Amino acid sequence: MVNKYKKEKFHFDISLSILNHLGRNLYRSFATVLGEAISNSWDADATNVYIYVDKDNNSMYIKDDGHGMTGRDFQDRFLKIGYSKRKECSVSPQRNRPFIGRKGIGKLALLSCAKRITILSKTPGGQYVGGTIDNSGLDLAIAEDLTPVDYPLEELNPDLFKNYLKNHKQGTLIYFEAFNEGIKHSLAFLKKTIALYFRFSLLDKKFNIFLNDEKITVSCLDDLAMNTEFLWNLNNIDDPYIQRLKSVFTIKESTDLRVKDSVKGFIASVIKPRYLKITTTDERVGVDLFVNGRLRLHFLKKCPFFPN
Ligand SMILES: Nc1ncnc2c1ncn2[C@@H]1O[C@H](COP(=O)(O)OP(=O)(O)O)[C@@H](O)[C@H]1O
Ligand SMILES: [Mg+2]
């Protein structure tokens, strides 16, 4: 029996090394990192995402005009590992977009892919806030077993963004300096890969993605469209990619696939499995499965149904 009990509150404490256990050091392709950043812009109700890749300098800027972050958002959301957007709601506040992000761990890929990453953000009418993550400093802090409060982010140098702030009223900018693995892919590859990842948004006029000032459009997927042979439209889905397929390419549409009314979508097939490989990229077309408006399965690489 414990008869003397000192009431005291205890809480978990976490060493920064948890970041490594959670996969900070895992290799992620450049395209995956881009995908995380663009997904965040989509979730932030951005209309435009501008990506500027500078292969010679091994650096990249990403700028969006979404709702941006206050200092508090930056601290409590952006820098919080495991923050769950879903707790509040499952669609974005202004445009009711189904959130792509879910677990608050997308940042691990974003923040560890380059030597230094600087974030600058502003809500409408607010002031810019942000900071710099220097991964060599963070590595040291991890080796010394520091806790997150013992390792504040570096103050950012606003000059880094001076060429990118014209007419920027709100949104988030991220500057990546010195990618760990360099930027190996061509811009053509990146355009197609982004088009494939964000196929669902390509004809949405309220979401535009630009790579070095060129808009990424559904025509980036024309290689795939050209090789599409059959199309099964499930319950007459109104999909921009299908509209483009039908208006520009010759495909055979089949109506003999009956599914429940609540299932909507399309299945398309190509003449040969190798046509699923998007020319000049390593990516293969796979299956996007949305359940209740949320992207639940985004199956691209090494699709087991179509082995090489
Ligand atoms: N471009 C952005 N604009 C506004 N807020 C952002 C942006 N990127 C990230 N955030 C904020 O940081 C949070 C964490 O992002 P992330 O680690 O990718 O996790 P998730 O997307 O799963 O929520 C987001 O939920 C959002 O609140
Ligand atoms: Mg995210």
Side-chain angles (χ1 to χ4, degrees):
M1 229 349 231
V2 180
N3 48 14
K4 279 205 173 141
Y5 165 67
K6 184 174 165 215
K7 268 201 178 168
E8 212 179 318
K9 290 270 189 222
F10 296 97
H11 60 84
F12 285 107
D13 203 352
I14 283 176
S15 147
L16 281 170
S17 65
I18 191 84
L19 295 178
N20 286 355
H21 301 306
L22 285 173
R24 170 173 171 263
N25 291 336
L26 282 184
Y27 167 73
R28 285 151 186 113
S29 71
F30 187 79
T32 306
V33 171
L34 259 181
E36 288 292 345
I38 302 169
S39 302
N40 283 347
S41 302
W42 164 268
D43 288 353
D45 279 328
T47 306
N48 299 297
V49 188
Y50 304 94
I51 303 159
Y52 299 97
V53 173
D54 183 342
K55 287 181 73 144
D56 296 337
N57 281 318
N58 191 18
S59 65
M60 172 170 77
Y61 281 90
I62 295 190
K63 161 176 156 178
D64 74 37
D65 55 4
H67 56 53
M69 289 180 272
T70 60
R72 189 156 200 158
D73 295 334
F74 184 57
Q75 178 63 66
D76 294 351
R77 299 182 174 200
F78 192 89
L79 293 174
K80 186 157 178 181
I81 315 293
Y83 162 80
S84 170
K85 274 195 268 226
R86 240 203 271 185
K87 207 171 70 185
E88 288 163 17
C89 56
S90 62
V91 291
S92 66
Q94 277 164 32
R95 300 211 160 128
N96 282 330
R97 292 177 178 165
F99 280 143
I100 301 176
R102 269 177 296 166
K103 298 182 181 152
I105 52 171
K107 60 185 67 71
L108 289 174
L110 275 188
L111 302 183
S112 58
C113 62
K115 293 231 157 19
R116 287 165 67 82
I117 290 113
T118 302
I119 302 106
L120 186 70
S121 192
K122 176 168 139 40
T123 53
Q127 277 191 312
Y128 280 111
V129 294
T132 292
I133 289 125
D134 183 313
N135 276 300
S136 46
L138 184 52
D139 283 337
L140 273 177
I142 289 174
E144 288 170 20
D145 225 5
L146 297 189
T147 63
V149 275
D150 295 325
Y151 179 73
L153 257 55
E154 278 181 32
E155 209 173 292
L156 64 86
N157 170 8
D159 280 352
L160 288 175
F161 295 97
K162 64 176 190 294
N163 296 333
Y164 296 87
L165 294 181
K166 207 173 153 204
N167 301 326
H168 188 246
K169 297 198 174 62
Q170 63 183 79
T172 302
L173 297 98
I174 310 183
Y175 175 47
F176 300 81
E177 254 170 287
F179 281 97
N180 304 335
E181 310 285 329
I183 305 171
K184 294 177 192 131
H185 301 304
S186 66
L187 292 183
F189 168 97
L190 292 172
K191 273 177 83 171
K192 287 184 188 180
T193 313
I194 296 169
L196 195 56
Y197 272 113
F198 291 90
R199 196 194 57 75
F200 61 90
S201 73
L202 288 179
L203 285 195
D204 179 348
K205 290 198 175 58
K206 296 206 170 105
F207 193 64
N208 308 301
I209 308 171
F210 300 86
L211 180 59
N212 289 12
D213 288 326
E214 270 183 49
K215 189 167 182 266
I216 294 180
T217 65
V218 78
S219 65
C220 299
L221 295 177
D222 280 357
D223 291 345
L224 177 67
M226 226 154 42
N227 289 312
T228 298
E229 187 181 25
F230 290 110
L231 174 76
W232 290 266
N233 193 337
L234 313 179
N235 291 320
N236 283 322
I237 187 188
D238 182 23
D239 181 277
Y241 180 68
I242 295 188
Q243 284 163 22
R244 165 107 182 145
L245 264 183
K246 287 207 223 166
S247 64
V248 185
F249 300 93
T250 331
I251 46 149
K252 298 163 201 157
E253 200 166 5
S254 175
T255 47
D256 57 2
L257 193 64
R258 296 259 162 265
V259 289
K260 274 190 186 168
D261 287 356
S262 54
V263 178
K264 292 199 187 317
F266 74 90
I267 298 173
S269 67
V270 288
I271 303 162
K272 291 188 175 161
R274 71 181 150 92
Y275 294 145
L276 289 172
K277 193 163 149 50
I278 304 291
T279 322
T280 74
T281 79
D282 294 336
E283 305 287 350
R284 276 166 174 278
V285 185
V287 178
D288 288 345
L289 178 67
F290 288 82
V291 181
N292 293 335
R294 293 184 64 84
L295 185 57
R296 302 310 290 258
L297 181 72
H298 190 51
F299 209 0
L300 283 176
K301 259 190 163 161
K302 300 199 176 62
C303 181
F305 308 121
F306 303 107
N308 290 323

